[in-house]
Amino acid sequence: MKSLEQLVRPNIWSLSPYRCARNEYEGKDARAFLDANENPFNRPLNRYPDPLQRDLKEVIAQIKDVDPQNIFLGNGSDEAIDLCYRIFCIPGKDNAVSIAPSYGMYKVCADINNVEFRSVELEEDFSLNAENLLRAVSGTTKLIFLCTPNNPSGNCLADEEIEKILTNFDGIVIVDEAYNDFAFHESYRHKLDVFPNLIVLNTMSKAWGCAAIRLGMAFASKPIIDLFNKVKYPYNVNLLTQEKALDMLKRASDVERWVNMILSERETLMDAFNYLPCCEKVYPTDANFFLAKMTDATKIYDYLVNCSVITRLRSNQPLCRNCIRITIGTPEENNAILAALRKYKD
């Protein structure tokens, strides 16, 4: 890969980051906090949170089997995605490449940051062809985004193809593993020493059942994590989120049970969809959702809304004509969509 100094925007490389008040006394005991213009009353909410979330990172490091210095925590994974553009891509000059269909925020963040976004369609079976993707790369391509298991197709991308990209691209490769806890596939965060140009995303929103607290994770080499911490806003993860995450991380056995229940329900629901007259195909999945090709996806989506069942219409996505995406819910929710579709008439 190119050196980080070559990849990073010059103004970011030379940036002097804002120093939080809490950084000034790091490692020292303090009994009077008169530095940050805080209200001295209403503890603990009156104090700014740890800007680097050290206690939380220590726990995550144990669970994820990584060094705390290789962890960035943000306001959802979307913050890490946005920071990749802000750190590496010069607006109006550089570009990013990703697969299609995939998670929509990669392009939204590119558009917000005035960065050209290039999409490369997957194969008909939603598999990744690394050579096709690398052909879209130019001298000003700084980022490649790969979602695995992919959203909305649900499948894991082949390791061989991902590693071709990591080996042959001299920029930054972001592997988004938001749904990896449902796939039981070895995480790319364990390959940071092999691929210095790798950033791996994960989240508390899916398997951990904590979408409401908005906690995303990025795993990368220490120099890349230092850049994230340099550019992020000072107190980007609030105290309530940090505390709730610490509580949830003590419930790993509950999460394992939830994942197993979801996987069992997924198999049952997908089998049932195969027998629905309005369903033409159910695609294989490694996530907590699946993609289904319907006889008339728009009409069926609207029908389900009228039945108070909300799915995700994906017909406007490449390779997803007449498709809806169904998240695996509780047994009651899954029964509700089946009951509605069994009554559906074309």
Side-chain angles (χ1 to χ4, degrees), residues 165-267:
I165 293 166
L166 283 163
T167 303
N168 292 286
F169 177 55
D170 61 8
I172 301 296
V173 179
I174 301 98
V175 176
D176 189 343
E177 295 185 342
Y179 302 97
N180 192 58
D181 293 306
F182 301 101
F184 301 109
H185 184 277
E186 183 182 3
S187 171
Y188 272 86
R189 68 177 178 271
H190 298 134
K191 300 181 181 182
L192 297 178
D193 291 339
V194 181
F195 302 110
N197 59 333
L198 173 64
I199 298 172
V200 180
L201 304 182
N202 200 228
T203 179
M204 293 284 288
S205 295
K206 310 303 179 183
W208 289 86
C210 285
I213 73 172
R214 307 308 302 129
L215 186 70
M217 312 168 208
F219 305 97
S221 66
K222 184 179 183 300
I224 292 177
I225 295 300
D226 289 345
L227 286 164
F228 273 68
N229 290 329
K230 185 180 186 180
V231 176
K232 76 174 183 70
Y233 290 117
Y235 304 105
N236 62 320
V237 179
N238 68 70
L239 176 65
L240 300 179
T241 290
Q242 292 185 47
E243 289 181 342
K244 189 61 179 179
L246 283 168
D247 289 342
M248 278 303 306
L249 290 168
K250 299 173 185 175
R251 300 176 60 186
S253 59
D254 285 336
V255 174
E256 182 179 1
R257 178 171 54 85
W258 295 340
V259 169
N260 288 333
M261 289 174 63
I262 288 168
L263 295 181
S264 176
E265 283 292 310
R266 185 183 76 187
E267 181 178 357

Side-chain angles (χ1 to χ4, degrees), residues 97-107 117-128 133 145-157 176 179 283 289 291 313-321 323 325:
V97 175
S98 187
I99 55 177
S102 198
Y103 181 43
M105 282 303 295
Y106 308 144
K107 184 179 187 308
F117 187 81
R118 301 178 179 181
S119 294
V120 179
E121 282 194 11
L122 295 168
E123 302 295 300
E124 286 292 328
D125 62 354
F126 297 113
S127 61
L128 171 65
L133 188 140
F145 286 91
L146 300 171
C147 186
T148 181
N150 189 34
N151 176 14
S153 55
N155 60 305
C156 283
L157 305 179
D176 189 343
Y179 302 97
Y283 290 90
F289 60 85
L291 196 66
L313 181 63
R314 298 285 79 186
S315 288
N316 62 340
Q317 299 293 303
L319 308 176
C320 295
R321 185 174 178 272
C323 286
R325 191 192 70 198

Side-chain angles (χ1 to χ4, degrees), residues 86-122:
R86 290 165 58 197
I87 292 168
F88 295 106
C89 294
I90 299 174
K93 176 183 176 182
D94 293 329
N95 68 77
V97 175
S98 187
I99 55 177
S102 198
Y103 181 43
M105 282 303 295
Y106 308 144
K107 184 179 187 308
V108 169
C109 286
D111 293 343
I112 290 170
N113 286 282
N114 191 27
V115 173
E116 180 192 354
F117 187 81
R118 301 178 179 181
S119 294
V120 179
E121 282 194 11
L122 295 168

